[in-house]
Amino acid sequence: MTTTIRKILIANRGEIAVRIARGCRDAGIISVAVYSDPDRMAYHVRVADEAYALGGTTSAESYLRQDKIIETARKCGADAIHPGYGFLAENHDFAALCRENGLIFIGPSPEVIALLGDKVQARRVAEKAGLPVVPGSVQNIEQVDVARIEAYRIGYPVLIKAAAGGGGKGMRIVNDPDGLGAALSTAASEAGSAFGDRRVYIEKYISRPRHVEIQILGDAYGNVIHLGERECSIQRRHQKVIEESPSMIVDDAMRAKMGAAAVELAKAAGYVGAGTVEFLVDENKHFYFLEVNTRLQVEHPVTEMVTGLDLVQEQFKIARGEKLSIRQEDVGRRGHAIECRIYAEDAAAGFIPCTGHLSAYQEPSGPGVRVDSGFIAGDDVPVYYDPLIAKLIVWGADRNQAIQRMRRALNEYVVQGIETTISFGRLVMDNESFISGRLSTHFIEDEFADLAESLTRSDGDIRLAAMTAALVDYRLQLRLLAVSRRAKSEENPWKISGRQAGLRKR
Amino acid sequence: MKKVQVSTADRTFAFELWFENDRYFVRGEGEEHVVDLTPLKNNRYSLIVDGRSYETGVEVASDGYIVFTGARSHRFIVEDYEIAQMKKQAGIDDWAREMLLTAPMPGLVLAVNCRPGDTVVKNQPLLVMEAMKMENDIKSPLTGIIRAVAVIPGQNVDKGQTLIEFEPWRNPEKPVPE
């Protein structure tokens, strides 16, 4: 049984809201943006067909206001809500609220989101479906004594993780029994403030793992396929910054094995929609189930580039109740894709957010280059939300060509006014370990002992920059001189002063 | 012909400049270049240096210039060379007042892990700030001695607000002497 979707409300902002609005246009669906007060002029509001104010400033006052979003969707006559990623994307209460209000939630059912969103439960499902999991405790651990026994059983180092977690929040590595108590309480408090859920669990910490994930698609008729892997090992604060597909360590046999495992898990959970099964891969290429993300991923474009599929269109099809149009054997792979996330962050200062005004902004283009962006020149990057400005995705016939294109595109990218991760991307594209594919989630610490120093060294010619400052200053002096000479003949000091002030502003 | 000194917090350059036949000439650091400098929109400039084409952003700050080389920014003070020499002899250092750690983003100060008088090393975490729901370690930009801590835990700060002042020290890359 299929249904028609005529209008979709996009409950998100930034680049993903723009991406979904474009997807709606491609499908002839009317797109509806919602926005907070600071986002009135945001790009996602301007590209959508309709836009309605949510009011408020912070996420909690705006994009997380389930009541306002549902009310807006009902008033404007939307058939469906696309949550994007982040915000309400993995909130099962919101998915349930959509259903109660006769709106299609573009994503899995509330039950599946609840099941897989809880890491402890998701682990149980994965184990039952026969997936390898990292040794550890799936119980919620509250007492230090219990944690100590568990850590002793599985062996140090151990990882404490938030049951409701994601994005590295509420996660702590513990190397010895002495650090356990403090780590347990900080992880629980961080989890509490980030997710409103203090539950944590403990598992074996795998040193130098790779992060490899499998994209899946499932329809309402029990058909599930996978679209291969993405390697997302380059992370800061346990959050991805550079992703690629295929992974250098995944060959056809391993892809088939990991893909089959992901499909098994999705079938066991009754998964409907686009999703991602994340794995850790150890140095012996053994993979372990990590978690399921029940939504579109930030890095979904690398899969789109190598498979030629449009994942947002696939989400629409599944949401309309259509059967998957492709079978596993029809999924092709061609070439290599890399994504660099362009964050408003100062990599030299430990990737701290660096928001502000984009005084100049120009995206790269040309062969094999795609930019999914939420900003244009003159925009402000607000402090209230995620500092992701854009995603730069390149495609090449092979990995070398993709790296070359990424170098070229990063050099073409102009962002003036704030620090971004563009400089970090350049550094990585020239890094020997990256080029030869030696990656782990510790890549940044391993390769750049002093990242600020590496960035300074790689950042072109400081001498040329100094010379440019001297030249611009000299040009200004010459112009001031010319004006004052001309003005002297007119003998009007007020005019001179006025002109000089005017020139300085230029 | 004009001779200028261009300095960052830890490096100093000297250039001689002159303008002839619509071209800028620059001599310094053992090289001489012919430059076509043409302004674009938004404080950006097209430079053709001896035939090599560059595009750079240069914004005027209160006390110097901010040059955007690609994706990173550098602050420079440009001044008359002779004046710079006299200042040096007089012990005046324009960069001394730059010995500050300012808030990289608006947020809440959660913890302060240093005190006035402490000798700290570059990249040592000095404060913890909460912003965008993340706890961020704010690290020392230099090796030096802390003169004052301008914030207390629980305080909300704006972007650019001074967090920590350091004792003036000319070269932040070098350790402070005993």
Side-chain angles (χ1 to χ4, degrees):
Chain A
M1 192 195 71
T2 61
T3 171
T4 312
I5 298 178
R6 216 175 41 81
K7 191 188 267 194
I8 294 176
L9 183 142
I10 303 157
N12 216 301
R13 65 178 302 282
E15 69 83 21
I16 194 63
V18 174
R19 163 75 185 91
I20 296 160
R22 284 177 173 149
C24 288
R25 274 264 156 96
D26 286 349
I29 296 169
I30 301 164
S31 59
V32 181
V34 288
Y35 58 93
S36 65
D37 289 342
D39 273 347
R40 167 62 188 88
M41 289 308 291
Y43 193 47
H44 79 274
V45 176
R46 296 191 254 175
V47 297
D49 293 315
E50 295 178 22
Y52 300 99
L54 292 171
T57 298
T58 62
S59 301
E61 294 164 358
S62 54
Y63 300 102
L64 291 171
R65 281 291 296 268
Q66 306 186 20
D67 54 339
K68 282 190 186 172
I69 290 166
I70 296 280
E71 189 196 328
T72 308
R74 293 191 58 135
K75 271 192 187 157
C76 75
D79 307 302
I81 293 184
H82 196 307
Y85 54 70
F87 295 126
L88 298 168
E90 291 175 282
N91 186 312
H92 60 91
D93 290 333
F94 181 67
L97 200 60
C98 287
R99 187 162 65 187
E100 285 161 25
N101 283 275
L103 295 156
I104 298 167
F105 176 83
I106 299 182
S109 68
E111 294 75 23
V112 170
I113 297 174
L115 177 73
L116 297 177
D118 186 307
K119 290 192 178 183
V120 175
Q121 289 194 55
R123 236 184 98 110
R124 286 202 192 107
V125 177
E127 272 183 304
K128 265 191 202 154
L131 274 69
V133 297
V134 179
S137 156
V138 294
Q139 314 159 32
N140 303 313
I141 294 195
E142 280 159 24
Q143 291 160 321
V144 185
D145 296 342
V146 179
R148 219 179 285 285
I149 295 164
E150 197 55 36
Y152 179 78
R153 193 177 64 78
I154 58 181
Y156 288 92
V158 295
L159 195 62
I160 298 171
K161 295 168 89 173
K169 287 164 194 154
M171 201 190 277
R172 285 289 181 285
I173 300 160
V174 186
N175 290 309
D176 50 59
D178 294 343
L180 198 62
L184 201 64
S185 65
T186 49
S189 91
E190 217 173 281
S193 71
F195 313 110
D197 181 345
R198 291 176 54 89
R199 291 175 306 144
V200 294
Y201 66 101
I202 208 166
E203 67 178 31
K204 172 85 183 151
Y205 177 65
I206 297 173
S207 62
R208 303 274 171 287
R210 286 174 178 252
H211 177 116
V212 179
E213 59 188 31
I214 300 284
Q215 175 71 50
I216 53 164
L217 288 175
D219 67 17
Y221 309 93
N223 304 306
V224 183
I225 61 167
H226 74 86
L227 306 180
E229 81 285 6
R230 292 183 289 258
E231 160 108 43
C232 314
S233 296
I234 303 182
Q235 306 183 351
R236 49 105 183 74
R237 290 195 295 258
H238 303 288
Q239 287 180 320
K240 304 155 190 169
V241 255
I242 296 176
E243 302 97 341
E244 64 182 310
S245 183
S247 162
M248 292 275 278
I249 54 149
V250 177
D251 55 18
D252 287 345
M254 187 170 171
R255 180 172 304 121
K257 217 169 140 191
M258 289 180 85
V263 167
E264 278 313 308
L265 171 58
K267 282 184 174 166
Y271 199 93
V272 178
T276 296
V277 183
E278 298 188 329
F279 295 96
L280 286 180
V281 180
D282 71 14
E283 286 160 317
N284 303 314
K285 289 197 186 185
H286 294 132
F287 60 88
Y288 304 93
F289 168 76
L290 189 61
E291 62 181 72
V292 182
N293 290 306
T294 57
R295 55 171 161 84
L296 198 63
Q297 295 274 81
V298 178
E299 60 275 20
H300 76 274
V302 295
T303 297
E304 296 187 326
M305 299 293 267
V306 295
T307 61
L309 294 166
D310 182 326
L311 292 181
V312 172
Q313 301 305 329
E314 297 303 322
Q315 287 189 301
F316 292 166
K317 279 183 208 162
I318 295 164
R320 284 194 295 256
E322 294 171 22
K323 276 190 180 165
L324 288 181
S325 53
I326 30 170
R327 289 168 304 175
Q328 188 63 56
E329 53 269 36
D330 299 332
V331 178
R333 301 181 63 80
R334 191 171 149 262
H336 199 100
I338 306 176
E339 172 180 281
C340 277
R341 299 190 189 186
I342 312 301
Y343 279 107
E345 289 182 355
D346 188 354
F351 292 97
I352 49 176
C354 179
T355 54
H357 183 69
L358 294 168
S359 55
Y361 180 78
Q362 193 176 342
E363 290 163 2
S365 61
V369 174
R370 163 177 170 181
V371 183
D372 279 18
S373 159
F375 292 86
I376 54 177
D379 279 356
D380 287 308
V381 181
V383 300
Y384 313 105
Y385 320 108
D386 189 79
L388 183 69
I389 300 174
K391 302 177 315 206
L392 170 57
I393 308 106
V394 297
W395 181 89
D398 56 26
R399 192 166 184 266
N400 285 339
Q401 191 184 33
I403 292 174
Q404 281 288 6
R405 280 190 168 151
M406 183 56 88
R407 280 194 194 117
R408 188 255 298 169
L410 287 167
N411 277 314
E412 253 178 59
Y413 217 130
V414 173
V415 181
Q416 193 171 308
I418 55 174
E419 302 289 349
T420 69
T421 48
I422 292 174
S423 49
F424 172 72
R426 287 184 188 160
L427 200 59
V428 173
M429 292 306 127
D430 287 333
N431 175 276
E432 273 308 313
S433 294
F434 175 75
I435 292 167
S436 56
R438 285 194 304 273
L439 301 175
S440 83
T441 54
H442 302 276
F443 177 81
I444 296 177
E445 306 91 276
D446 286 353
E447 294 298 321
F448 309 109
D450 187 344
L451 187 56
E453 177 63 30
S454 304
L455 285 164
T456 307
R457 245 187 299 119
S458 76
D459 188 37
D461 197 346
I462 183 87
R463 205 184 139 274
L464 181 69
M467 194 176 89
T468 307
L471 279 162
V472 169
D473 181 71
Y474 184 54
R475 179 175 173 274
L476 184 67
Q477 304 293 335
L478 289 183
R479 285 165 66 90
L480 286 170
L481 202 67
V483 169
S484 71
R485 267 195 201 130
R486 216 181 313 137
K488 232 172 230 163
S489 60
E490 295 164 27
E491 304 228 329
N492 184 341
W494 292 108
K495 212 178 243 176
I496 300 172
S497 163
R499 278 189 180 154
Q500 287 185 342
L503 267 177
R504 272 187 217 109
K505 279 184 197 140
R506 294 187 67 175
Chain B
M1 168 101 63
K2 184 173 169 62
K3 191 168 183 184
V4 296
Q5 175 181 292
V6 183
S7 58
T8 68
D10 59 343
R11 286 194 68 174
T12 301
F13 304 89
F15 297 107
E16 289 175 295
L17 306 121
W18 66 99
F19 187 68
E20 220 174 85
N21 301 328
D22 279 340
R23 291 286 182 276
Y24 293 88
F25 290 79
V26 190
R27 187 189 294 147
E29 309 290 312
E31 289 172 35
E32 190 175 314
H33 304 286
V34 189
V35 184
D36 177 334
L37 174 77
T38 302
L40 309 165
K41 281 194 300 183
N42 298 324
N43 298 315
R44 293 192 66 77
Y45 293 84
S46 168
L47 284 92
I48 303 174
V49 183
D50 304 325
R52 288 198 63 182
S53 176
Y54 300 94
E55 197 185 306
T56 309
V58 183
E59 291 185 355
V60 182
S62 57
D63 55 352
Y65 295 88
I66 301 170
V67 178
F68 292 88
T69 57
R72 293 194 56 71
S73 62
H74 303 273
R75 296 194 60 182
F76 293 104
I77 294 175
V78 181
E79 55 195 339
D80 182 90
Y81 186 77
E82 297 306 325
I83 293 174
Q85 295 313 302
M86 285 188 264
K87 274 187 176 172
K88 194 178 172 186
Q89 284 195 342
I92 300 167
D93 184 358
D94 287 331
W95 279 104
R97 64 166 178 259
E98 297 292 320
M99 299 298 157
L100 298 174
L101 174 62
T102 56
M105 68 266 178
L108 177 70
V109 177
L110 292 179
V112 177
N113 302 320
C114 58
R115 283 187 309 191
D118 283 358
T119 298
V120 295
V121 293
K122 193 177 170 183
N123 290 332
Q124 179 178 332
L126 301 182
L127 302 116
V128 183
M129 268 182 73
E130 188 184 74
M132 295 172 173
K133 291 182 185 165
M134 292 289 297
E135 290 182 15
N136 301 283
D137 275 333
I138 308 297
K139 294 171 184 167
S140 179
L142 48 87
T143 292
I145 298 168
I146 291 174
R147 180 165 63 191
V149 178
V151 291
I152 52 166
Q155 186 175 342
N156 272 301
V157 294
D158 291 327
K159 182 180 176 169
Q161 186 172 334
T162 299
L163 304 173
I164 285 174
E165 291 173 33
F166 296 91
E167 294 291 349
W169 180 251
R170 188 66 187 92
N171 189 342
E173 299 299 324
K174 284 188 189 148
V176 176
E178 291 302 309

